[in-house]
Amino acid sequence: MKVPWGLALRHIFEHWFRNLLTVLAVGVAVFLFCFLVSLIVTLDDQVEEASQDRVIVQSAVSLFVTLPLDYLAKIAAVPGVGDVTKWQWFGAYFQNQSEGFFAQFGVDPDPFFRMYERDIRIIEGPNGETAPAAREAVHLAMLEEKRGALIGQALAKKFGWKVGEAIPLTCTLFPRTDGGAWDFVVLGIYEKQRANVDDSTLFFRFDYLEDTLRNGGATGPLGSGTFFVQVAPDHETAEVIETIDALFTNGPQRTKTSTEAAFQASFVSMLGNLPLFLGTIGGAVVFAVFFSVVNTMMISGRQRIRESGILKALGFPNLTLGALIVYESVLLSSLGGLVGIGLAFGAARGVRQKMANFFPNFAVGPETMAIGFGIAAGIGVIAGVTPMVHLMRTKPTDAMRSEG
């Protein structure tokens, strides 16, 4: 006999409010699952896609202790070092500190462009050039214009900045002695090619900062927070790291050198065991919603006992009755899963904008969405099993006498 699937839909609409709450509960659970898992995946991607042949030299005391500028020449002379650039956190903001804070770094243009050739793609140059010509055009323009800056695509969209536009930034770490703002000129816009790069960053010439500090135009520590080193292809990264740290064992500042991947991982570790924490929260929410769906389907099963007796009397097999209740359960949970996935996907852009300094590459990937939907459908199947077994075991005569 043909399965009367329409009965399941009738039950859903007949008790629409209860079922709507169930759908929303599953939706919230799937949304939280996708959101939390995406945070973990984002952090993992930043570590996994970081370069293993690019190392970062920092102070062994703290990342906030600057290294002497003469360390650059000494590091460059180490066997196996291909390129090295200063990399100084600037710590400025645009217009207001709460909304206009973003990352800025002072670098040496020549080695920077060589080291990040595969990581960033410059999409617009100073005279309207596009990739690939824009890279060389921006490089040359930055060598000519000391105030020149390269900004990420996301940063340009956030503030509406265009190539050629002057940007005033207020810096708390290196305040100008006249009380004014630092002036930068946008010479190019880049888009990231790997997850280890943030496209909400501004890169500028380090010597603009250095010369201003030496001339008394600003105050602050004269040095470089870190040095980024590209290891030559024919050398072992571990050996280069060991040699660099041994070089500065006796100071004046001892160094701690690590691969870019290890450096990224250290930031994740600062957050504690974040994967376990987020996973526990997500698991608890899904577990609670599971019982909510089970309760809904148990109520639905009791309400259709008399109906099941009639169907059995008409000759419908037990398997058909079981399929109907499971179908209803899966349909409700799947709808909730789609709602949750839609919410997570829609919220991803807002998360990137609001939490750009912490999770600039946040995205809800297809795999995460598929797992979220699978969990929702799985909850529906399991939640439908208990009432299914009860309906299949109930005799037609007992079902007909039921008041359900």
Side-chain angles (χ1 to χ4, degrees):
M1 300 180 68
K2 186 178 180 180
V3 179
W5 301 112
L7 289 176
L9 296 176
R10 191 197 72 179
H11 277 282
I12 290 175
F13 289 107
E14 184 177 353
H15 306 283
W16 65 271
F17 186 70
R18 180 187 70 204
N19 292 325
L20 176 62
L21 293 179
T22 302
V23 169
L24 293 178
V26 175
V28 170
V30 172
F31 164 74
L32 288 175
F33 171 83
C34 292
F35 179 80
L36 297 176
V37 169
S38 296
L39 287 180
I40 298 172
V41 171
T42 298
L43 294 173
D44 288 342
D45 285 346
Q46 290 177 194
V47 174
E48 290 177 3
E49 295 195 23
S51 175
Q52 294 289 348
D53 58 0
R54 191 159 53 226
V55 302
I56 300 173
V57 183
Q58 67 175 84
S59 168
V61 178
S62 170
L63 186 60
F64 301 102
V65 176
T66 58
L67 296 173
L69 294 180
D70 60 5
Y71 273 27
L72 186 140
K74 297 176 181 179
I75 294 172
V78 171
V81 171
D83 263 317
V84 57
T85 176
K86 295 180 284 290
W87 193 282
Q88 175 61 50
W89 170 261
F90 192 55
Y93 60 89
F94 178 67
Q95 294 183 342
N96 66 82
Q97 197 164 6
S98 59
E99 297 292 334
F101 182 78
F102 60 95
Q104 316 99 31
F105 293 99
V107 298
D108 300 318
D110 281 336
F112 171 79
F113 275 88
R114 289 193 296 267
M115 292 167 65
Y116 281 83
E117 183 177 1
R118 296 175 299 173
D119 299 73
I120 63 174
R121 177 175 177 264
I122 301 179
I123 58 176
E124 186 175 353
N127 297 309
E129 299 91 346
T130 57
R135 174 176 289 273
E136 184 64 22
V138 173
H139 186 186
L140 294 175
M142 286 192 71
L143 293 177
E144 295 176 0
E145 174 57 73
K146 184 172 288 187
R147 299 175 303 148
L150 174 66
I151 65 174
Q153 189 176 34
L155 194 61
K157 290 181 179 179
K158 178 180 179 180
F159 295 112
W161 291 339
K162 306 294 183 182
V163 172
E165 186 174 350
I167 301 174
L169 297 180
T170 303
C171 186
T172 55
L173 185 59
F174 301 98
R176 296 189 65 90
T177 53
D178 60 6
W182 289 77
D183 293 321
F184 296 92
V185 179
V186 178
L187 298 180
I189 299 174
Y190 72 87
E191 64 177 8
K192 64 182 180 181
Q193 299 296 293
R194 296 184 179 183
N196 62 302
V197 178
D198 178 7
D199 58 0
S200 296
T201 301
L202 179 148
F203 295 99
F204 65 95
R205 285 176 52 169
F206 178 87
D207 59 353
Y208 176 37
L209 170 63
E210 180 184 1
D211 292 347
T212 305
L213 290 173
R214 292 188 185 279
N215 295 333
T219 59
L222 181 59
S224 181
T226 57
F227 292 99
F228 276 47
V229 178
Q230 184 71 50
V231 178
D234 55 343
H235 286 75
E236 291 292 332
T237 301
E239 293 180 2
V240 174
I241 290 175
E242 185 178 352
T243 304
I244 292 175
D245 287 341
L247 184 63
F248 304 110
T249 300
N250 297 320
Q253 275 289 340
R254 290 171 46 249
T255 61
K256 175 186 176 183
T257 307
S258 58
T259 64
E260 187 180 64
F263 187 77
Q264 294 274 14
S266 68
F267 279 96
V268 177
S269 65
M270 290 180 186
L271 301 174
N273 196 343
L274 190 62
L276 177 60
F277 177 70
L278 296 180
T280 301
I281 294 176
V285 172
V286 171
F287 190 69
V289 170
F290 165 72
F291 283 105
S292 173
V293 179
V294 169
N295 182 63
T296 297
M297 297 317 302
M298 289 294 292
I299 295 174
S300 179
R302 287 196 297 268
Q303 290 175 336
R304 62 172 59 186
I305 290 179
R306 184 185 295 272
E307 177 186 285
S308 69
I310 296 174
L311 291 175
K312 287 184 179 183
L314 291 175
F316 284 92
N318 285 329
L319 188 60
T320 297
L321 302 179
L324 283 174
I325 193 71
V326 173
Y327 170 68
E328 180 181 338
S329 179
V330 171
L331 186 59
L332 290 175
S333 295
S334 297
L335 286 173
L338 292 175
V339 170
I341 291 171
L343 290 174
F345 184 78
R349 182 176 181 180
V351 172
R352 284 195 299 271
Q353 293 176 346
K354 295 297 182 181
M355 304 179 68
N357 294 319
F358 303 99
F359 304 101
N361 302 309
F362 179 85
V364 181
E367 292 184 1
T368 301
M369 291 188 285
I371 294 173
F373 183 79
I375 289 175
I379 288 176
V381 172
I382 298 172
V385 169
T386 301
M388 176 191 75
V389 173
H390 180 67
L391 288 179
M392 292 176 65
R393 289 181 176 179
T394 304
K395 297 179 180 180
T397 52
D398 294 336
M400 295 292 286
R401 289 195 294 266
S402 172
E403 297 180 359

